[in-house]
Amino acid sequence: MKKDKIKRISLIAGVVFFLVILLLTYFSSTIDAMLIPNVKTTEVIRVESDKEHGMYGGEDRFLVPIKAVSGFGDGGTVFVINWVNGEYYVDEISVQILSDDGMYYEVNSSGLHGGNRIIYSTSKPLASGDRVYVVEG
């Protein structure tokens, strides 16, 4: 009688444990989205350099949304998205601001490349190396 009760309790506990693990696995992406910063990204647009006339030293230039740049004056930083082992991480890259048109900065940086994805909106403060959840982009 006592052994049957212990078996029944063990079986119920095992089933409950299995269901909890199943639910946590199913909702893991939702839980991640609540715990790590949610970000929106856009692609960096490369502008052709005017190497013939030496404008800006013939360096590659890029257009990035003003919202994506932290800093003022002629310098700032942007966060670039990297895909590592199935997850997104960010790197902070310094940029030199060359000009703006009210919506975009024209920048140059040795750390940027055409096709990079940069963050223009985040739900939490970021630091280089942070894992993020991309909700748009």
Side-chain angles (χ1 to χ4, degrees):
M1 182 81 166
K2 201 173 194 180
K3 288 184 179 182
D4 289 337
K5 190 173 184 178
I6 292 173
K7 284 182 182 180
R8 187 178 316 131
I9 291 172
S10 297
L11 180 63
I12 291 171
V15 169
V16 168
F17 177 77
F18 178 75
L19 290 174
V20 168
I21 296 299
L22 186 67
L23 286 172
L24 287 175
T25 303
Y26 180 75
F27 290 113
S28 66
S29 63
T30 303
I31 293 169
D32 262 0
M34 292 186 314
L35 297 176
I36 61 176
N38 294 315
V39 298
K40 296 179 181 179
T41 68
T42 187
E43 190 171 335
V44 172
I45 301 167
R46 183 176 175 272
V47 178
E48 289 296 320
S49 297
D50 190 355
K51 293 181 181 180
E52 181 179 317
H53 297 99
M55 184 175 255
Y56 303 119
E59 297 175 342
D60 286 335
R61 296 173 290 145
F62 306 94
L63 293 179
V64 297
I66 288 177
K67 296 186 333 184
V69 179
S70 299
F72 297 97
D74 63 351
T77 60
V78 296
F79 284 100
V80 176
I81 291 285
N82 293 309
W83 179 257
V84 179
N85 295 327
E87 297 179 326
Y88 289 107
Y89 290 88
V90 297
D91 285 325
E92 190 171 18
I93 305 292
S94 295
V95 296
Q96 178 187 7
I97 300 171
L98 305 172
S99 65
D100 77 83
D101 67 0
M103 290 181 60
Y104 291 90
Y105 281 133
E106 185 175 356
V107 302
N108 68 5
S109 172
S110 60
L112 279 181
H113 307 286
N116 280 141
R117 298 212 60 85
I118 58 169
I119 295 171
Y120 68 87
S121 177
T122 180
S123 63
K124 298 177 182 177
L126 296 175
S128 200
D130 284 352
R131 187 167 63 107
V132 296
Y133 184 78
V134 177
V135 294
E136 183 180 305

